[in-house]
Amino acid sequence: MKLRYQFRLYPSAPQKIELAKAFGCARVVWNDALRIRQDAYKRGQPLPSIVALAKQVITEAKKTEERAWLAEVSAVILQSSLRDLQTAYSNFFASKKGTRKGPKIGPPRFKKKTSRQAVRFTKAARFFITEDGKLRLPKVGEVEVRWTRELPSDPSSVTVIKDAAGRYFASFVVEAEDKPLPELDKEETDTGIDPGLSSYAVLRGRKIASPKFFRRQEKKLRRAQRKLSRCQKGSNNRSKAKLAVAKLHARIADQRRDFIEQETTRITRESQAVYLEDLAVKGMAKSFGKSVHDQSLGMFARTLEAKCARYGRIFVKVDRFFPSTQLCSHCGALTGPKGKDGLRIRTWTCDCGTTHDRDQNAEYNLRLEGRSIVAEGRSDT
């Protein structure tokens, strides 16, 4: 399977200038190609192929005075930008026909110079890692890398990213083999996962407390945003204030990502089978806003599913309409709390006389439903 390994880059001042040129040239090529395709569509002409676009916006453009500076960067990143545009069009057409899974997406749009920028170098660019551990990029030079682990194989491509906080990263795409963990007793080590807001998630035998990274930094973030809004547009002080806000957001995102990586790894090691409730995160965000986004339950689900697939664990998503909270795990009656008002009720007593903890009861029901899904073969996970 293909994985991404991301490491921090520390380019020198001249290298930052070269990378800025690369970001700008890739953006210009994207916009030129998009404009040509839009004009062809308006005139009722067939859309030009990727080969014709490459010849027009790269090869021929370099010979003109207006675009001669495109020759100052590697041609590979310009071609990668065109391939990304082609992929964006393919996804749009597939979404319009209904053959693409997920929400509907619109057509490609023109790129602006934003705080986050990226370019991709493929094998054709002949990038490589030097003996002293630096990343050699064409027309950029040898960039210092902060290695935190070894790559499992030679990378097929590397994406250089500059985020809003001014940090640089190298994201390598590598081919990695699955690493199945020792098999555990399924009946004793499977778990249902009931994600929520009061607790991040309830598992068999334990609860994961909600870290609330955004809420803990909200006061400091509000102060920084207030300072930004008072700065004059275009001033150096506004640039500094904007960077301060971006660094706070980056810190929150890093903490949340690290938390999810650690918890999903622990769950994968301790569980032979995982049954996760498939929540409608977007719908929840409309009602609970910041609290839902702060939990980042979608990232948690995707990360957990990928790790279960790599380490040989069973992963099943239980339908979001399964009444795990309302179902009595003792008698099977639907007597649990219902509606928005029911969210405040943390313990309840069924008509059969059994008293339930809301979250633990939901986890047990999810576990039983997950087992039945696997037994009946209703899931291909």
Side-chain angles (χ1 to χ4, degrees):
M1 64 185 302
K2 289 186 177 181
L3 298 176
R4 280 194 176 272
Y5 280 63
Q6 186 165 293
F7 304 93
R8 185 79 180 269
L9 289 180
Y10 292 90
S12 62
Q15 288 171 344
K16 289 181 180 179
I17 295 174
E18 295 302 321
L19 287 174
K21 291 179 182 179
F23 297 142
C25 290
R27 183 174 63 251
V28 167
V29 166
W30 168 289
N31 289 341
D32 288 347
L34 179 57
R35 188 176 295 106
I36 291 171
R37 283 201 161 184
Q38 287 185 349
D39 292 342
Y41 175 77
K42 291 177 182 178
R43 293 193 296 265
Q45 299 174 349
L47 298 181
S49 66
I50 192 73
V51 176
L53 284 174
K55 183 178 180 181
Q56 186 173 354
V57 302
I58 299 178
T59 307
E60 298 298 333
K62 288 179 181 179
K63 301 175 183 178
T64 64
E65 186 177 351
E66 294 80 8
R67 294 286 188 267
W69 34 264
L70 289 176
E72 297 179 11
V73 302
S74 172
V76 173
I77 63 175
L78 306 181
Q79 294 163 357
S80 297
S81 184
L82 287 182
R83 282 194 291 271
D84 291 342
L85 177 64
Q86 181 66 24
T87 301
Y89 265 108
S90 299
N91 291 337
F92 165 62
F93 291 136
S95 178
K96 200 170 184 180
K97 292 178 182 177
T99 58
R100 182 181 185 274
K101 294 182 180 180
K104 295 289 184 180
I105 60 173
R109 295 182 293 182
F110 290 104
K111 288 187 176 182
K112 299 179 180 179
K113 184 179 179 181
T114 59
S115 300
R116 187 188 186 280
Q117 303 180 73
V119 290
R120 187 173 69 256
F121 296 86
T122 61
K123 279 187 175 181
R126 297 181 181 179
F127 69 89
F128 60 90
I129 300 169
T130 63
E131 293 182 357
D132 57 349
K134 294 184 178 181
L135 177 61
R136 178 70 168 80
L137 298 174
K139 298 195 176 183
V140 177
E142 298 180 359
V143 185
E144 184 180 349
V145 185
R146 180 70 60 83
W147 299 102
T148 55
R149 51 184 171 170
E150 293 184 0
L151 295 176
S153 62
D154 291 334
S156 59
S157 69
V158 58
T159 302
V160 178
I161 305 166
K162 180 186 178 185
D163 68 3
R167 303 177 300 177
Y168 291 83
F169 297 92
S171 180
F172 296 93
V173 175
V174 296
E175 194 72 32
E177 297 180 356
D178 292 343
K179 296 180 178 180
L181 294 172
E183 191 168 344
L184 305 172
D185 184 359
K186 179 182 173 183
E187 292 299 321
E188 296 297 328
T189 58
D190 62 347
T191 182
I193 301 180
D194 179 37
L197 298 179
S198 57
S199 297
Y200 190 87
V202 178
L203 288 77
R204 182 178 188 172
R206 71 183 180 98
K207 289 185 178 182
I208 302 176
S210 180
K212 298 182 180 179
F213 296 114
F214 179 82
R215 293 293 187 183
R216 280 158 40 188
Q217 298 287 336
E218 193 171 16
K219 185 175 181 181
K220 188 181 294 185
L221 186 60
R222 189 184 299 117
R223 190 182 300 115
Q225 289 174 329
R226 189 181 299 121
K227 183 178 180 180
L228 172 63
S229 66
R230 291 170 177 169
C231 293
Q232 184 179 357
K233 290 186 178 181
S235 65
N236 290 333
N237 284 338
R238 185 176 178 84
S239 299
K240 294 176 183 178
K242 185 178 180 181
L243 183 61
V245 172
K247 286 183 176 180
L248 278 173
H249 279 296
R251 177 177 174 80
I252 294 169
D254 290 345
Q255 290 176 330
R256 185 184 295 120
R257 190 181 303 110
D258 182 65
F259 168 80
I260 290 175
E261 289 290 342
Q262 291 190 34
E263 289 297 336
T264 52
T265 297
R266 181 181 176 183
I267 293 171
T268 306
R269 288 175 177 171
E270 294 178 349
S271 308
Q272 180 62 33
V274 175
Y275 314 116
L276 176 67
E277 184 178 10
D278 185 18
L279 295 179
V281 178
K282 287 187 177 180
M284 292 173 61
K286 293 180 181 179
S287 300
F288 301 101
K290 293 179 182 179
S291 297
V292 174
H293 292 302
D294 195 13
Q295 300 287 72
S296 194
L297 297 175
M299 180 188 292
F300 173 80
R302 291 190 300 271
T303 306
L304 182 59
E305 183 176 7
K307 289 187 178 181
C308 286
R310 189 183 184 198
Y311 297 113
R313 299 310 198 203
I314 297 173
F315 179 86
V316 174
K317 279 188 177 181
V318 179
D319 191 270
R320 66 187 60 169
F321 298 108
F322 175 71
S324 59
T325 304
Q326 302 167 11
L327 189 66
C328 174
S329 57
H330 181 72
C331 68
L334 287 171
T335 55
K338 300 178 179 66
K340 288 187 177 181
D341 294 336
L343 295 174
R344 301 187 183 93
I345 302 174
R346 309 316 301 175
T347 59
W348 57 279
T349 302
C350 179
D351 294 341
C352 67
T354 307
T355 301
H356 297 289
D357 176 274
R358 176 192 180 94
D359 297 327
Q360 292 176 355
N361 177 69
E363 183 277 324
Y364 182 78
N365 288 328
L366 288 170
R367 197 190 326 154
L368 295 182
E369 178 67 11
R371 287 176 181 174
S372 66
I373 291 174
V374 174
E376 297 172 10
R378 286 185 279 153
S379 174
D380 55 359
T381 305

